Amino acid sequence: MKIPHLDLSALRILIVDDNTNMRRILRTMASGFGVGQIYEAEDGAAALEQIKNNDPDLVILDWLMPIVDGRELTRKIRASKKPGCFVPIVAVTAHTQKHRVMSARDAGATEVMCKPVSAKGLYLRVANCVLNQRDFVRTKGFFGPDRRRFQNPSFSGAERRGVKVDDGYTLDDPNDLPQSHPNDMSRESAA
């Protein structure tokens, strides 16, 4: 795999972790990548304040923190006002079980990185957030980056993308397509 070389000098990153040493490690890595501005917060409340004041381009956060954990912080970020709700979030966790990774994804994390953190692994996730910005999805129970990374053009089931329907959701732009639609196959058969 060829690793892209990116100019990250204009990038603003917020690192959120209750562990001072982990923040220092992540800061050193980000600085080594050439990131222009690096902010830090030791808890969720301080992170929300940093987001409000500094409008970061990317948030790297620990998933297990006291008081406001990564899940709750991610949900608060996603529930905030534009443009902050669209910030890519890289969740860092020592818990690698599938259900925990899926929990982070389902809360609205853009990427999940398991500890121990490597410079290459972090760089690839940062590069992916910069180069492959994902569309956002809004449903009654979820707002965040589209969890599906692959679009199968031959799939024609009920969850097929690209069928414009009035499903009762308010999207950010009236021209946006919903990511899913009711199980009304009559629209597809008419096409």
mmCIF file of all heavy atoms in Angstrom, residues 60-108:
data_model
loop_
_atom_site.group_PDB
_atom_site.id
_atom_site.type_symbol
_atom_site.label_atom_id
_atom_site.label_comp_id
_atom_site.label_asym_id
_atom_site.label_seq_id
_atom_site.Cartn_x
_atom_site.Cartn_y
_atom_site.Cartn_z
ATOM 1 N N ILE A 60 -9.451 13.702 17.426
ATOM 2 C CA ILE A 60 -8.966 12.378 17.812
ATOM 3 C C ILE A 60 -9.303 12.242 19.285
ATOM 4 O O ILE A 60 -8.852 13.043 20.108
ATOM 5 C CB ILE A 60 -7.444 12.246 17.598
ATOM 6 C CG1 ILE A 60 -7.085 12.486 16.130
ATOM 7 C CG2 ILE A 60 -6.953 10.882 18.069
ATOM 8 C CD1 ILE A 60 -5.599 12.619 15.868
ATOM 9 N N LEU A 61 -10.126 11.250 19.627
ATOM 10 C CA LEU A 61 -10.548 11.148 21.024
ATOM 11 C C LEU A 61 -10.457 9.733 21.562
ATOM 12 O O LEU A 61 -10.624 8.765 20.840
ATOM 13 C CB LEU A 61 -11.964 11.705 21.200
ATOM 14 C CG LEU A 61 -13.120 11.098 20.422
ATOM 15 C CD1 LEU A 61 -13.654 9.854 21.091
ATOM 16 C CD2 LEU A 61 -14.221 12.127 20.317
ATOM 17 N N ASP A 62 -10.158 9.674 22.849
ATOM 18 C CA ASP A 62 -10.131 8.400 23.558
ATOM 19 C C ASP A 62 -11.571 7.968 23.809
ATOM 20 O O ASP A 62 -12.419 8.799 24.146
ATOM 21 C CB ASP A 62 -9.378 8.571 24.884
ATOM 22 C CG ASP A 62 -9.229 7.265 25.640
ATOM 23 O OD1 ASP A 62 -9.095 6.212 24.990
ATOM 24 O OD2 ASP A 62 -9.247 7.298 26.882
ATOM 25 N N TRP A 63 -11.845 6.696 23.653
ATOM 26 C CA TRP A 63 -13.216 6.220 23.793
ATOM 27 C C TRP A 63 -13.620 6.042 25.248
ATOM 28 O O TRP A 63 -14.777 6.223 25.599
ATOM 29 C CB TRP A 63 -13.392 4.920 23.003
ATOM 30 C CG TRP A 63 -14.808 4.671 22.653
ATOM 31 C CD1 TRP A 63 -15.578 3.632 23.077
ATOM 32 C CD2 TRP A 63 -15.660 5.465 21.827
ATOM 33 N NE1 TRP A 63 -16.847 3.732 22.562
ATOM 34 C CE2 TRP A 63 -16.918 4.854 21.781
ATOM 35 C CE3 TRP A 63 -15.479 6.649 21.109
ATOM 36 C CZ2 TRP A 63 -17.985 5.383 21.061
ATOM 37 C CZ3 TRP A 63 -16.532 7.161 20.387
ATOM 38 C CH2 TRP A 63 -17.769 6.525 20.373
ATOM 39 N N LEU A 64 -12.668 5.688 26.114
ATOM 40 C CA LEU A 64 -12.990 5.487 27.529
ATOM 41 C C LEU A 64 -12.368 6.596 28.368
ATOM 42 O O LEU A 64 -11.182 6.591 28.642
ATOM 43 C CB LEU A 64 -12.490 4.123 28.010
ATOM 44 C CG LEU A 64 -13.237 2.917 27.474
ATOM 45 C CD1 LEU A 64 -12.626 1.632 27.997
ATOM 46 C CD2 LEU A 64 -14.708 2.976 27.828
ATOM 47 N N MET A 65 -13.194 7.551 28.740
ATOM 48 C CA MET A 65 -12.770 8.649 29.601
ATOM 49 C C MET A 65 -13.793 8.776 30.718
ATOM 50 O O MET A 65 -14.955 8.414 30.542
ATOM 51 C CB MET A 65 -12.717 9.976 28.820
ATOM 52 C CG MET A 65 -11.703 10.012 27.717
ATOM 53 S SD MET A 65 -11.627 11.639 26.899
ATOM 54 C CE MET A 65 -13.190 11.673 26.020
ATOM 55 N N PRO A 66 -13.386 9.300 31.864
ATOM 56 C CA PRO A 66 -14.356 9.495 32.944
ATOM 57 C C PRO A 66 -15.325 10.630 32.625
ATOM 58 O O PRO A 66 -15.035 11.498 31.801
ATOM 59 C CB PRO A 66 -13.478 9.829 34.150
ATOM 60 C CG PRO A 66 -12.200 10.336 33.578
ATOM 61 C CD PRO A 66 -12.038 9.674 32.249
ATOM 62 N N ILE A 67 -16.451 10.611 33.259
ATOM 63 C CA ILE A 67 -17.530 11.603 33.177
ATOM 64 C C ILE A 67 -18.175 11.609 31.785
ATOM 65 O O ILE A 67 -19.234 11.057 31.594
ATOM 66 C CB ILE A 67 -17.086 13.005 33.626
ATOM 67 C CG1 ILE A 67 -16.507 12.932 35.042
ATOM 68 C CG2 ILE A 67 -18.244 13.986 33.562
ATOM 69 C CD1 ILE A 67 -15.826 14.179 35.507
ATOM 70 N N VAL A 68 -17.552 12.249 30.802
ATOM 71 C CA VAL A 68 -18.071 12.250 29.428
ATOM 72 C C VAL A 68 -17.143 11.378 28.595
ATOM 73 O O VAL A 68 -16.028 11.775 28.271
ATOM 74 C CB VAL A 68 -18.127 13.687 28.852
ATOM 75 C CG1 VAL A 68 -18.601 13.669 27.406
ATOM 76 C CG2 VAL A 68 -19.025 14.573 29.702
ATOM 77 N N ASP A 69 -17.600 10.161 28.272
ATOM 78 C CA ASP A 69 -16.746 9.249 27.502
ATOM 79 C C ASP A 69 -16.810 9.587 26.017
ATOM 80 O O ASP A 69 -17.520 10.503 25.589
ATOM 81 C CB ASP A 69 -17.133 7.792 27.761
ATOM 82 C CG ASP A 69 -18.536 7.440 27.292
ATOM 83 O OD1 ASP A 69 -19.188 8.258 26.631
ATOM 84 O OD2 ASP A 69 -18.977 6.318 27.593
ATOM 85 N N GLY A 70 -16.055 8.855 25.209
ATOM 86 C CA GLY A 70 -15.984 9.122 23.778
ATOM 87 C C GLY A 70 -17.319 8.987 23.075
ATOM 88 O O GLY A 70 -17.634 9.759 22.163
ATOM 89 N N ARG A 71 -18.114 8.020 23.488
ATOM 90 C CA ARG A 71 -19.431 7.823 22.878
ATOM 91 C C ARG A 71 -20.325 9.051 23.094
ATOM 92 O O ARG A 71 -20.908 9.580 22.161
ATOM 93 C CB ARG A 71 -20.083 6.576 23.457
ATOM 94 C CG ARG A 71 -21.465 6.322 22.921
ATOM 95 C CD ARG A 71 -22.106 5.125 23.669
ATOM 96 N NE ARG A 71 -23.290 4.713 23.017
ATOM 97 C CZ ARG A 71 -23.346 3.844 22.025
ATOM 98 N NH1 ARG A 71 -22.256 3.271 21.591
ATOM 99 N NH2 ARG A 71 -24.494 3.532 21.471
ATOM 100 N N GLU A 72 -20.400 9.493 24.338
ATOM 101 C CA GLU A 72 -21.231 10.652 24.660
ATOM 102 C C GLU A 72 -20.700 11.921 23.991
ATOM 103 O O GLU A 72 -21.467 12.727 23.463
ATOM 104 C CB GLU A 72 -21.320 10.837 26.170
ATOM 105 C CG GLU A 72 -22.283 11.930 26.584
ATOM 106 C CD GLU A 72 -22.409 12.065 28.096
ATOM 107 O OE1 GLU A 72 -21.921 11.192 28.837
ATOM 108 O OE2 GLU A 72 -23.008 13.073 28.518
ATOM 109 N N LEU A 73 -19.380 12.084 23.982
ATOM 110 C CA LEU A 73 -18.780 13.251 23.346
ATOM 111 C C LEU A 73 -19.065 13.239 21.847
ATOM 112 O O LEU A 73 -19.423 14.267 21.269
ATOM 113 C CB LEU A 73 -17.273 13.295 23.604
ATOM 114 C CG LEU A 73 -16.516 14.444 22.954
ATOM 115 C CD1 LEU A 73 -17.085 15.794 23.371
ATOM 116 C CD2 LEU A 73 -15.038 14.348 23.296
ATOM 117 N N THR A 74 -18.937 12.091 21.211
ATOM 118 C CA THR A 74 -19.227 11.984 19.784
ATOM 119 C C THR A 74 -20.668 12.355 19.502
ATOM 120 O O THR A 74 -20.967 13.117 18.572
ATOM 121 C CB THR A 74 -18.927 10.557 19.279
ATOM 122 O OG1 THR A 74 -17.536 10.285 19.470
ATOM 123 C CG2 THR A 74 -19.265 10.401 17.807
ATOM 124 N N ARG A 75 -21.579 11.865 20.311
ATOM 125 C CA ARG A 75 -22.997 12.195 20.121
ATOM 126 C C ARG A 75 -23.257 13.685 20.320
ATOM 127 O O ARG A 75 -24.046 14.282 19.603
ATOM 128 C CB ARG A 75 -23.861 11.354 21.040
ATOM 129 C CG ARG A 75 -23.892 9.914 20.579
ATOM 130 C CD ARG A 75 -24.821 9.084 21.409
ATOM 131 N NE ARG A 75 -24.750 7.721 20.906
ATOM 132 C CZ ARG A 75 -25.746 6.882 20.922
ATOM 133 N NH1 ARG A 75 -26.901 7.246 21.427
ATOM 134 N NH2 ARG A 75 -25.612 5.664 20.448
ATOM 135 N N LYS A 76 -22.577 14.288 21.290
ATOM 136 C CA LYS A 76 -22.747 15.732 21.513
ATOM 137 C C LYS A 76 -22.192 16.536 20.339
ATOM 138 O O LYS A 76 -22.784 17.533 19.940
ATOM 139 C CB LYS A 76 -22.075 16.158 22.815
ATOM 140 C CG LYS A 76 -22.840 15.723 24.042
ATOM 141 C CD LYS A 76 -22.163 16.188 25.310
ATOM 142 C CE LYS A 76 -22.949 15.670 26.491
ATOM 143 N NZ LYS A 76 -23.071 16.619 27.559
ATOM 144 N N ILE A 77 -21.078 16.102 19.804
ATOM 145 C CA ILE A 77 -20.506 16.785 18.639
ATOM 146 C C ILE A 77 -21.457 16.668 17.457
ATOM 147 O O ILE A 77 -21.743 17.655 16.775
ATOM 148 C CB ILE A 77 -19.116 16.204 18.285
ATOM 149 C CG1 ILE A 77 -18.094 16.564 19.368
ATOM 150 C CG2 ILE A 77 -18.658 16.699 16.912
ATOM 151 C CD1 ILE A 77 -16.768 15.835 19.245
ATOM 152 N N ARG A 78 -21.974 15.477 17.227
ATOM 153 C CA ARG A 78 -22.880 15.265 16.092
ATOM 154 C C ARG A 78 -24.204 16.004 16.269
ATOM 155 O O ARG A 78 -24.847 16.366 15.290
ATOM 156 C CB ARG A 78 -23.144 13.770 15.882
ATOM 157 C CG ARG A 78 -21.916 12.981 15.462
ATOM 158 C CD ARG A 78 -21.432 13.382 14.096
ATOM 159 N NE ARG A 78 -20.257 12.616 13.697
ATOM 160 C CZ ARG A 78 -19.129 13.155 13.293
ATOM 161 N NH1 ARG A 78 -19.009 14.470 13.207
ATOM 162 N NH2 ARG A 78 -18.108 12.401 12.944
ATOM 163 N N ALA A 79 -24.595 16.265 17.509
ATOM 164 C CA ALA A 79 -25.845 16.989 17.769
ATOM 165 C C ALA A 79 -25.642 18.504 17.767
ATOM 166 O O ALA A 79 -26.611 19.247 17.833
ATOM 167 C CB ALA A 79 -26.431 16.547 19.111
ATOM 168 N N SER A 80 -24.398 18.962 17.673
ATOM 169 C CA SER A 80 -24.130 20.397 17.699
ATOM 170 C C SER A 80 -24.519 21.033 16.367
ATOM 171 O O SER A 80 -24.935 20.361 15.431
ATOM 172 C CB SER A 80 -22.650 20.649 18.001
ATOM 173 O OG SER A 80 -21.840 20.197 16.933
ATOM 174 N N LYS A 81 -24.366 22.333 16.300
ATOM 175 C CA LYS A 81 -24.745 23.072 15.091
ATOM 176 C C LYS A 81 -23.667 22.977 14.029
ATOM 177 O O LYS A 81 -22.512 22.689 14.319
ATOM 178 C CB LYS A 81 -25.006 24.534 15.448
ATOM 179 C CG LYS A 81 -26.178 24.683 16.376
ATOM 180 C CD LYS A 81 -26.483 26.121 16.648
ATOM 181 C CE LYS A 81 -27.692 26.168 17.574
ATOM 182 N NZ LYS A 81 -28.117 27.470 17.900
ATOM 183 N N LYS A 82 -24.077 23.263 12.783
ATOM 184 C CA LYS A 82 -23.135 23.286 11.673
ATOM 185 C C LYS A 82 -22.104 24.372 11.919
ATOM 186 O O LYS A 82 -22.423 25.363 12.547
ATOM 187 C CB LYS A 82 -23.858 23.611 10.369
ATOM 188 C CG LYS A 82 -24.813 22.578 9.902
ATOM 189 C CD LYS A 82 -25.411 23.066 8.600
ATOM 190 C CE LYS A 82 -26.630 22.279 8.214
ATOM 191 N NZ LYS A 82 -27.256 22.788 7.018
ATOM 192 N N PRO A 83 -20.909 24.284 11.432
ATOM 193 C CA PRO A 83 -20.320 23.174 10.709
ATOM 194 C C PRO A 83 -19.675 22.139 11.625
ATOM 195 O O PRO A 83 -19.207 21.115 11.167
ATOM 196 C CB PRO A 83 -19.271 23.843 9.832
ATOM 197 C CG PRO A 83 -18.788 24.992 10.678
ATOM 198 C CD PRO A 83 -20.008 25.448 11.445
ATOM 199 N N GLY A 84 -19.635 22.406 12.937
ATOM 200 C CA GLY A 84 -18.944 21.521 13.885
ATOM 201 C C GLY A 84 -19.448 20.090 13.912
ATOM 202 O O GLY A 84 -18.686 19.174 14.205
ATOM 203 N N CYS A 85 -20.707 19.885 13.591
ATOM 204 C CA CYS A 85 -21.263 18.522 13.644
ATOM 205 C C CYS A 85 -20.685 17.620 12.573
ATOM 206 O O CYS A 85 -20.778 16.401 12.663
ATOM 207 C CB CYS A 85 -22.781 18.570 13.539
ATOM 208 S SG CYS A 85 -23.401 19.237 11.980
ATOM 209 N N PHE A 86 -20.047 18.185 11.544
ATOM 210 C CA PHE A 86 -19.495 17.396 10.446
ATOM 211 C C PHE A 86 -18.022 17.051 10.618
ATOM 212 O O PHE A 86 -17.441 16.411 9.751
ATOM 213 C CB PHE A 86 -19.680 18.142 9.123
ATOM 214 C CG PHE A 86 -21.114 18.303 8.730
ATOM 215 C CD1 PHE A 86 -21.746 19.530 8.862
ATOM 216 C CD2 PHE A 86 -21.840 17.237 8.237
ATOM 217 C CE1 PHE A 86 -23.068 19.687 8.494
ATOM 218 C CE2 PHE A 86 -23.170 17.386 7.865
ATOM 219 C CZ PHE A 86 -23.790 18.611 8.003
ATOM 220 N N VAL A 87 -17.413 17.465 11.705
ATOM 221 C CA VAL A 87 -15.983 17.234 11.897
ATOM 222 C C VAL A 87 -15.698 15.719 11.940
ATOM 223 O O VAL A 87 -16.409 14.968 12.596
ATOM 224 C CB VAL A 87 -15.470 17.937 13.179
ATOM 225 C CG1 VAL A 87 -16.050 17.326 14.442
ATOM 226 C CG2 VAL A 87 -13.954 17.914 13.241
ATOM 227 N N PRO A 88 -14.681 15.267 11.199
ATOM 228 C CA PRO A 88 -14.321 13.851 11.277
ATOM 229 C C PRO A 88 -13.799 13.520 12.679
ATOM 230 O O PRO A 88 -13.055 14.303 13.275
ATOM 231 C CB PRO A 88 -13.207 13.696 10.236
ATOM 232 C CG PRO A 88 -13.350 14.868 9.333
ATOM 233 C CD PRO A 88 -13.908 15.972 10.176
ATOM 234 N N ILE A 89 -14.198 12.359 13.190
ATOM 235 C CA ILE A 89 -13.800 11.923 14.529
ATOM 236 C C ILE A 89 -13.091 10.584 14.423
ATOM 237 O O ILE A 89 -13.642 9.622 13.887
ATOM 238 C CB ILE A 89 -15.026 11.800 15.451
ATOM 239 C CG1 ILE A 89 -15.710 13.154 15.617
ATOM 240 C CG2 ILE A 89 -14.627 11.204 16.802
ATOM 241 C CD1 ILE A 89 -17.049 13.094 16.337
ATOM 242 N N VAL A 90 -11.872 10.531 14.950
ATOM 243 C CA VAL A 90 -11.123 9.285 15.034
ATOM 244 C C VAL A 90 -11.180 8.836 16.491
ATOM 245 O O VAL A 90 -10.626 9.491 17.371
ATOM 246 C CB VAL A 90 -9.656 9.450 14.572
ATOM 247 C CG1 VAL A 90 -8.896 8.147 14.738
ATOM 248 C CG2 VAL A 90 -9.593 9.946 13.131
ATOM 249 N N ALA A 91 -11.887 7.738 16.728
ATOM 250 C CA ALA A 91 -12.005 7.191 18.083
ATOM 251 C C ALA A 91 -10.846 6.236 18.329
ATOM 252 O O ALA A 91 -10.584 5.347 17.514
ATOM 253 C CB ALA A 91 -13.337 6.459 18.241
ATOM 254 N N VAL A 92 -10.154 6.429 19.443
ATOM 255 C CA VAL A 92 -9.026 5.577 19.811
ATOM 256 C C VAL A 92 -9.446 4.755 21.017
ATOM 257 O O VAL A 92 -9.918 5.307 22.016
ATOM 258 C CB VAL A 92 -7.773 6.417 20.137
ATOM 259 C CG1 VAL A 92 -6.602 5.529 20.508
ATOM 260 C CG2 VAL A 92 -7.408 7.314 18.962
ATOM 261 N N THR A 93 -9.292 3.440 20.926
ATOM 262 C CA THR A 93 -9.726 2.572 22.010
ATOM 263 C C THR A 93 -8.798 1.378 22.198
ATOM 264 O O THR A 93 -8.193 0.903 21.236
ATOM 265 C CB THR A 93 -11.175 2.072 21.768
ATOM 266 O OG1 THR A 93 -11.570 1.245 22.860
ATOM 267 C CG2 THR A 93 -11.289 1.288 20.476
ATOM 268 N N ALA A 94 -8.705 0.918 23.438
ATOM 269 C CA ALA A 94 -7.948 -0.298 23.732
ATOM 270 C C ALA A 94 -8.830 -1.530 23.614
ATOM 271 O O ALA A 94 -8.342 -2.650 23.634
ATOM 272 C CB ALA A 94 -7.357 -0.216 25.141
ATOM 273 N N HIS A 95 -10.125 -1.325 23.484
ATOM 274 C CA HIS A 95 -11.079 -2.434 23.408
ATOM 275 C C HIS A 95 -11.371 -2.743 21.951
ATOM 276 O O HIS A 95 -12.029 -1.968 21.268
ATOM 277 C CB HIS A 95 -12.353 -2.088 24.172
ATOM 278 C CG HIS A 95 -12.089 -1.837 25.613
ATOM 279 N ND1 HIS A 95 -11.935 -2.851 26.521
ATOM 280 C CD2 HIS A 95 -11.907 -0.682 26.294
ATOM 281 C CE1 HIS A 95 -11.687 -2.339 27.711
ATOM 282 N NE2 HIS A 95 -11.665 -1.023 27.600
ATOM 283 N N THR A 96 -10.898 -3.886 21.488
ATOM 284 C CA THR A 96 -10.964 -4.213 20.072
ATOM 285 C C THR A 96 -12.100 -5.163 19.697
ATOM 286 O O THR A 96 -12.187 -5.570 18.554
ATOM 287 C CB THR A 96 -9.630 -4.842 19.625
ATOM 288 O OG1 THR A 96 -9.402 -6.033 20.396
ATOM 289 C CG2 THR A 96 -8.478 -3.881 19.816
ATOM 290 N N GLN A 97 -12.958 -5.468 20.644
ATOM 291 C CA GLN A 97 -14.063 -6.366 20.327
ATOM 292 C C GLN A 97 -14.951 -5.729 19.258
ATOM 293 O O GLN A 97 -15.153 -4.520 19.231
ATOM 294 C CB GLN A 97 -14.922 -6.673 21.568
ATOM 295 C CG GLN A 97 -14.175 -7.337 22.687
ATOM 296 C CD GLN A 97 -13.598 -6.340 23.682
ATOM 297 O OE1 GLN A 97 -13.453 -5.151 23.407
ATOM 298 N NE2 GLN A 97 -13.238 -6.844 24.851
ATOM 299 N N LYS A 98 -15.497 -6.566 18.395
ATOM 300 C CA LYS A 98 -16.310 -6.094 17.279
ATOM 301 C C LYS A 98 -17.466 -5.216 17.753
ATOM 302 O O LYS A 98 -17.734 -4.164 17.166
ATOM 303 C CB LYS A 98 -16.840 -7.279 16.483
ATOM 304 C CG LYS A 98 -17.630 -6.885 15.270
ATOM 305 C CD LYS A 98 -18.095 -8.095 14.491
ATOM 306 C CE LYS A 98 -18.927 -7.675 13.295
ATOM 307 N NZ LYS A 98 -19.378 -8.835 12.517
ATOM 308 N N HIS A 99 -18.142 -5.613 18.842
ATOM 309 C CA HIS A 99 -19.291 -4.825 19.292
ATOM 310 C C HIS A 99 -18.874 -3.434 19.771
ATOM 311 O O HIS A 99 -19.625 -2.467 19.647
ATOM 312 C CB HIS A 99 -20.101 -5.567 20.366
ATOM 313 C CG HIS A 99 -19.461 -5.605 21.723
ATOM 314 N ND1 HIS A 99 -18.500 -6.526 22.070
ATOM 315 C CD2 HIS A 99 -19.654 -4.817 22.800
ATOM 316 C CE1 HIS A 99 -18.126 -6.312 23.323
ATOM 317 N NE2 HIS A 99 -18.807 -5.279 23.791
ATOM 318 N N ARG A 100 -17.665 -3.296 20.289
ATOM 319 C CA ARG A 100 -17.195 -1.973 20.725
ATOM 320 C C ARG A 100 -16.845 -1.082 19.533
ATOM 321 O O ARG A 100 -17.123 0.106 19.533
ATOM 322 C CB ARG A 100 -16.009 -2.107 21.661
ATOM 323 C CG ARG A 100 -16.407 -2.720 22.993
ATOM 324 C CD ARG A 100 -15.289 -2.536 23.989
ATOM 325 N NE ARG A 100 -15.587 -3.199 25.232
ATOM 326 C CZ ARG A 100 -15.843 -2.557 26.350
ATOM 327 N NH1 ARG A 100 -15.865 -1.250 26.382
ATOM 328 N NH2 ARG A 100 -16.079 -3.228 27.453
ATOM 329 N N VAL A 101 -16.222 -1.676 18.521
ATOM 330 C CA VAL A 101 -15.905 -0.920 17.309
ATOM 331 C C VAL A 101 -17.203 -0.488 16.630
ATOM 332 O O VAL A 101 -17.340 0.653 16.193
ATOM 333 C CB VAL A 101 -15.020 -1.756 16.359
ATOM 334 C CG1 VAL A 101 -14.839 -1.069 15.017
ATOM 335 C CG2 VAL A 101 -13.664 -2.030 17.006
ATOM 336 N N MET A 102 -18.175 -1.382 16.565
ATOM 337 C CA MET A 102 -19.462 -1.047 15.960
ATOM 338 C C MET A 102 -20.197 0.012 16.782
ATOM 339 O O MET A 102 -20.884 0.874 16.227
ATOM 340 C CB MET A 102 -20.312 -2.302 15.800
ATOM 341 C CG MET A 102 -19.771 -3.228 14.718
ATOM 342 S SD MET A 102 -20.660 -4.781 14.579
ATOM 343 C CE MET A 102 -22.231 -4.211 13.977
ATOM 344 N N SER A 103 -20.024 -0.017 18.083
ATOM 345 C CA SER A 103 -20.634 0.991 18.944
ATOM 346 C C SER A 103 -20.074 2.382 18.630
ATOM 347 O O SER A 103 -20.814 3.362 18.582
ATOM 348 C CB SER A 103 -20.388 0.634 20.409
ATOM 349 O OG SER A 103 -20.803 1.661 21.246
ATOM 350 N N ALA A 104 -18.774 2.461 18.406
ATOM 351 C CA ALA A 104 -18.153 3.740 18.051
ATOM 352 C C ALA A 104 -18.664 4.208 16.692
ATOM 353 O O ALA A 104 -19.019 5.377 16.513
ATOM 354 C CB ALA A 104 -16.632 3.604 18.031
ATOM 355 N N ARG A 105 -18.720 3.305 15.752
ATOM 356 C CA ARG A 105 -19.240 3.637 14.424
ATOM 357 C C ARG A 105 -20.683 4.114 14.518
ATOM 358 O O ARG A 105 -21.067 5.109 13.914
ATOM 359 C CB ARG A 105 -19.142 2.404 13.525
ATOM 360 C CG ARG A 105 -19.709 2.620 12.137
ATOM 361 C CD ARG A 105 -20.132 1.346 11.481
ATOM 362 N NE ARG A 105 -21.269 0.770 12.202
ATOM 363 C CZ ARG A 105 -21.811 -0.399 11.918
ATOM 364 N NH1 ARG A 105 -21.310 -1.133 10.972
ATOM 365 N NH2 ARG A 105 -22.839 -0.843 12.598
ATOM 366 N N ASP A 106 -21.488 3.402 15.303
ATOM 367 C CA ASP A 106 -22.904 3.733 15.432
ATOM 368 C C ASP A 106 -23.148 5.038 16.191
ATOM 369 O O ASP A 106 -24.212 5.636 16.062
ATOM 370 C CB ASP A 106 -23.665 2.581 16.100
ATOM 371 C CG ASP A 106 -23.720 1.349 15.218
ATOM 372 O OD1 ASP A 106 -23.414 1.451 14.010
ATOM 373 O OD2 ASP A 106 -24.070 0.269 15.735
ATOM 374 N N ALA A 107 -22.174 5.471 16.969
ATOM 375 C CA ALA A 107 -22.299 6.752 17.671
ATOM 376 C C ALA A 107 -21.953 7.924 16.754
ATOM 377 O O ALA A 107 -22.262 9.065 17.072
ATOM 378 C CB ALA A 107 -21.402 6.771 18.906
ATOM 379 N N GLY A 108 -21.289 7.626 15.625
ATOM 380 C CA GLY A 108 -20.956 8.686 14.679
ATOM 381 C C GLY A 108 -19.474 8.903 14.458
ATOM 382 O O GLY A 108 -19.089 9.879 13.811
#
